[in-house]
């Protein structure tokens, strides 16, 4: 961080302005991402609840891992 940035952070007025701009940028980004996500959900005919359920369940998996999970679920249902 440069000395100018440090002095700006020490100045409450400037720090508040920076915080306000940062907050607005993050909010706008979140709105944009949400709008894009909604379009994707509509395209594939799923609800936001379905998306978030899938994200919670499969979000951290690689494609190969996801395929394996699906295979195991299918095998498990056959065994029941």
């Amino acid at each position: 961080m440069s000395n100018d940035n440090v002095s700006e952070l020490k100045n409450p007025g400037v720090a508040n302005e920076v915080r306000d701009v940062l907050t607005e940028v993050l909010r706008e980004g979140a709105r944009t991402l949400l709008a894009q996500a909604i379009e994707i959900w509509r395209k594939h005919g799923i609800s936001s609840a379905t998306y978030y359920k899938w994200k919670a369940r499969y979000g951290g998996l690689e494609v190969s891992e996801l395929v394996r999970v699906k295979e195991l679920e299918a095998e498990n249902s056959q065994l029941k």
Side-chain angles (χ1 to χ4, degrees), residues 21-50:
V21 169
L22 177 61
T23 302
E24 181 59 31
V25 167
L26 293 175
R27 285 183 183 159
E28 185 176 333
R31 283 192 302 264
T32 301
L33 292 174
L34 180 59
Q36 291 172 347
I38 290 170
E39 287 300 316
I40 292 169
W41 302 337
R42 285 183 186 150
K43 175 182 171 185
H44 294 283
I46 65 169
S47 68
S48 61
T50 299

Side-chain angles (χ1 to χ4, degrees), residues 1-2 9-10 12 15 18 22 26-27 29 36 38 44-46 55-56 58-60 66 68 71 74 76 79-80:
M1 184 178 282
S2 71
L9 293 176
K10 290 180 182 178
V18 170
L22 177 61
L26 293 175
R27 285 183 183 159
Q36 291 172 347
I38 290 170
H44 294 283
I46 65 169
K55 182 179 176 187
Y58 306 115
L66 180 57
R68 181 68 181 141
E71 289 171 351
N76 191 26
L79 296 173
K80 287 184 180 181

